[in-house]
Amino acid sequence: MSLVKIQNIMSNELAKRVFLTRPPEPPPEFLLNDPTDSIMIGITKRFGVPFTWTFSGLTNPHIAIVGISGAGKSFLVKTFLIRASYIWNTNAIIIDWAGEYRDWVKQSGGTVVALAKGDYLNVMDLSGMKPLDRAKQILTSLEILTDISDYPEQKRLTIEAIEQTYLNHGFNLAAVPDPKREAPTLKDVITLLEEKVQEGTYEYPAELENAVYRLRQFAREGEDYFARKSSIDLGKLASSGLVDLDLSALPDEKFRALAALFVLQSLKEKMRMEGWSASKGLKAIVVLDEAWKIANDERSDAIMIVREGRKYQFGLIVASQNPTDINEAIFSNVGTTIMLRVKFEKFMNYLQSSINFSDFIRKEISRFGVGQAAVEMSFQTSVQFPETFIVDRIIGEIPLDVYTVTVGDLLNQDELGDATIQKEYYLEKIDLNNKFVEANIASDVVERIYKQLGARNRLVDARGMAQIMTGEGCSKDAVVAFFRSMHFPDTIITRIFMYSGVT
């Protein structure tokens, strides 16, 4: 066979191999953007191209981030916010469910607002909205957070009471309000309903009393964080640089979700009123981290904001360890999805069905190390290349030191097969520091613990961690507080002490 013929056969065979003729990442001109109008994320794995993110060619500026604890999720969010501030002077509000970003925001010179620690938000505030529209938003929040949808009469009574309260305070329901006029509070709505109860003339008194009870849970003395005059101006916060809205001290998920819904609703209206401007980049980014109640409900403003797209230069970052906490509508509509390491089969199935990436990408995601990611981008125009590609490492502002604590050897056979139980816990150093502070461990003791962890290559099982901590002088209570701050189940904490020899 001639050399020419052999070359022809080889060329024909190679042409059939899509991974060579159409490599699994976008061309460099779609990845490497104007450095004055884009954010550096990392280097692609296949061809080593610097990937700088900008939304100018994407369907919208919104981002979904998923990945197990310690995969680099919060590190990516922090890096993104810092660089957006440098490049576009972007403001950022973090709706911080667990207080995870609080210390970092303080260290970065930002503002921390702590609800339930002296700060209040009045959910009846109008933020420039017509009272009729605000009343509908309040009712939508109650539908998401309570069972009011199952009781049409209570639903009707509640919205009528909200509207009547605005009227009683001199507002025109269908008009943009005078910004100087002070809004009523949820307590005023409850008072109005209680007066109806006292009158005793309503045909269904039980329905009326239950409507009162449902609202009272957000207005009890000592827990009236949303039923008093606001101490926070959300309009100003949206243009105050880096802001952490710390919800961790609120009593439960329902209160945190109400705060998050109200903030999203108010910021969305602010962006609508300000409208589009010709400036580059993003005016503001809102981070919604681990807010499953908000990110999963079809009626949530998180989904409405994502669907409205790019109109207002207002970006939303939705981040979670559990992809199923994020509604498919978000994955379908965000301009960018960033997938760090994901382990559980059901999570991978959900992601793949939502985003429709290849089995090759799926396999890569399951094997990622810390800081590696698959990125999916939705371009405005039709493209002839894969929109999902791999970033070999996220390049951040600070070293990504990750410590791993394993518990697999403490689990029984049933627990080992339970996909909802975490076998490994990954913590960046800044987050591990926060856990030590929460457990009231002195800084000199922390330094000694880090030396021991370093000698073990930053990998330790839970029993070994307990032994290191007690060996350096930590009390049993401090060790328990440390593991609880990492959300270890009490059954696992009991086994740690049972099998480690720590007393």
Side-chain angles (χ1 to χ4, degrees):
M1 186 180 293
S2 70
L3 181 60
V4 173
K5 191 171 183 181
I6 291 172
Q7 287 176 333
N8 285 338
I9 292 171
M10 289 179 65
S11 297
N12 290 335
E13 288 301 313
L14 289 173
K16 294 176 185 176
R17 300 184 185 183
V18 176
F19 72 92
L20 289 175
T21 59
R22 187 172 293 169
E25 67 181 47
E29 59 267 28
F30 285 85
L31 296 171
L32 186 54
N33 298 286
D34 177 358
T36 67
D37 190 28
S38 63
I39 295 171
M40 178 65 179
I41 300 294
I43 306 294
T44 66
K45 182 176 182 178
R46 182 64 58 178
F47 295 114
V49 178
F51 167 45
T52 60
W53 182 93
T54 183
F55 73 93
S56 59
L58 303 178
T59 53
N60 60 58
H62 309 308
I63 301 172
I65 303 174
V66 296
I68 61 173
S69 176
K73 179 167 53 68
S74 62
F75 175 77
L76 171 58
V77 171
K78 294 167 188 175
T79 294
F80 191 93
L81 296 182
I82 289 171
R83 290 178 178 168
S85 175
Y86 291 158
I87 300 295
W88 298 312
N89 198 30
T90 303
N91 300 289
I93 294 184
I94 303 169
I95 300 177
D96 192 355
W97 226 251
E100 179 183 357
Y101 294 87
R102 178 182 56 228
D103 293 336
W104 173 76
V105 168
K106 284 180 183 176
Q107 292 164 9
S108 302
T111 303
V112 175
V113 176
L115 286 175
K117 292 185 178 179
D119 286 312
Y120 300 91
L121 281 174
N122 178 13
V123 295
M124 297 282 284
D125 277 349
L126 291 163
S127 304
M129 296 177 63
K130 297 174 184 177
L132 204 59
D133 294 333
R134 184 72 191 113
K136 291 175 184 175
Q137 285 188 342
I138 294 169
L139 192 66
T140 296
S141 297
L142 291 174
E143 287 178 319
I144 292 171
L145 302 176
T146 72
D147 61 352
I148 194 170
S149 295
D150 298 332
Y151 302 93
E153 187 64 17
Q154 292 177 39
K155 183 175 170 180
R156 183 184 68 78
L157 284 165
T158 301
I159 195 164
E160 284 181 357
I162 292 169
E163 291 172 359
Q164 187 59 52
T165 301
Y166 280 123
L167 288 170
N168 292 349
H169 282 73
F171 289 90
N172 180 334
L173 292 179
V176 174
D178 177 352
K180 294 179 182 177
R181 183 179 290 278
E182 190 172 301
T185 69
L186 210 54
K187 289 180 180 178
D188 296 317
V189 179
I190 293 169
T191 298
L192 189 149
L193 287 169
E194 285 175 335
E195 288 171 357
K196 285 182 177 289
V197 172
Q198 293 300 318
E199 289 170 7
T201 57
Y202 186 64
E203 188 176 358
Y204 307 106
E207 297 281 5
L208 191 56
E209 289 173 3
N210 285 331
V212 172
Y213 176 79
R214 183 177 283 100
L215 292 181
R216 263 200 205 127
Q217 64 185 301
F218 298 110
R220 296 189 187 99
E221 194 66 35
E223 293 187 350
D224 51 355
Y225 315 111
F226 309 111
R228 297 172 60 167
K229 181 180 176 180
S230 289
S231 62
I232 303 164
D233 185 337
L234 286 175
K236 287 183 179 177
L237 282 183
S239 54
S240 298
L242 180 61
V243 177
D244 180 66
L245 187 61
D246 180 8
L247 310 182
S248 61
L250 289 171
D252 57 33
E253 291 293 301
K254 194 177 290 185
F255 278 84
R256 294 183 189 104
L258 180 59
L261 284 166
F262 177 67
V263 171
L264 283 177
Q265 290 162 351
S266 300
L267 292 176
K268 182 190 71 178
E269 294 306 320
K270 175 180 168 62
M271 293 301 139
R272 280 176 169 171
M273 285 185 286
E274 288 185 354
W276 183 85
S277 74
S279 62
K280 288 183 177 181
L282 298 170
K283 292 179 183 175
I285 297 172
V286 176
V287 177
L288 202 56
D289 194 343
E290 301 298 347
W292 63 271
K293 193 85 173 178
I294 309 306
N296 204 357
D297 196 291
E298 189 74 29
R299 299 161 294 186
S300 165
D301 270 73
I303 293 173
M304 293 180 191
I305 288 167
V306 165
R307 283 178 169 157
E308 285 194 10
R310 53 189 295 118
K311 296 180 196 174
Y312 309 111
Q313 292 164 292
F314 170 33
L316 182 69
I317 296 177
V318 182
S320 180
Q321 295 180 40
N322 180 351
T324 61
D325 285 346
I326 300 177
N327 194 287
E328 277 191 335
I330 291 179
F331 286 125
S332 301
N333 288 280
V334 292
T336 307
T337 301
I338 301 177
M339 296 163 281
L340 298 124
R341 189 180 181 197
V342 176
K343 288 172 58 178
F344 302 136
E345 195 76 9
K346 66 175 182 177
F347 294 170
M348 292 292 285
N349 291 340
Y350 182 76
L351 276 174
Q352 194 169 20
S353 65
S354 301
I355 302 171
N356 196 30
F357 49 77
S358 68
D359 287 338
F360 165 77
I361 295 290
R362 178 188 178 118
K363 189 177 292 185
E364 290 291 302
I365 291 171
S366 67
R367 298 187 301 202
F368 279 161
V370 175
Q372 291 183 303
V375 179
E376 196 270 345
M377 295 195 294
S378 178
F379 295 96
Q380 289 181 42
T381 57
S382 177
V383 294
Q384 300 302 312
F385 52 78
E387 294 179 309
T388 308
F389 61 97
I390 295 173
V391 172
D392 196 41
R393 193 168 186 82
I394 293 162
I395 299 174
E397 299 294 326
I398 55 175
L400 187 60
D401 290 334
V402 175
Y403 294 79
T404 304
V405 181
T406 65
V407 295
D409 60 337
L410 292 172
L411 303 178
N412 60 39
Q413 202 59 41
D414 290 338
E415 291 168 332
L416 281 169
D418 188 343
T420 64
I421 295 179
Q422 200 165 325
K423 284 85 175 175
E424 297 173 334
Y425 292 76
Y426 305 93
L427 289 167
E428 296 168 34
K429 187 169 184 177
I430 189 170
D431 298 321
L432 186 54
N433 274 333
N434 292 340
K435 304 299 182 191
F436 287 138
V437 169
E438 288 176 38
N440 292 316
I441 299 172
S443 57
D444 59 324
V445 175
V446 170
E447 284 183 22
R448 296 199 300 270
I449 292 171
Y450 273 125
K451 283 183 181 177
Q452 295 226 36
L453 293 175
R456 302 186 186 205
N457 294 318
R458 301 198 291 269
L459 171 65
V460 66
D461 61 43
R463 290 178 297 176
M465 189 69 182
Q467 289 166 347
I468 289 172
M469 293 177 71
T470 54
E472 295 299 341
C474 298
S475 67
K476 182 177 178 180
D477 287 344
V479 177
V480 170
F482 170 78
F483 285 123
R484 282 186 173 154
S485 74
M486 290 179 64
H487 306 294
F488 274 41
D490 283 345
T491 53
I492 300 300
I493 295 174
T494 300
R495 289 175 207 165
I496 290 170
F497 285 97
M498 187 183 300
Y499 300 129
S500 65
V502 173
T503 58

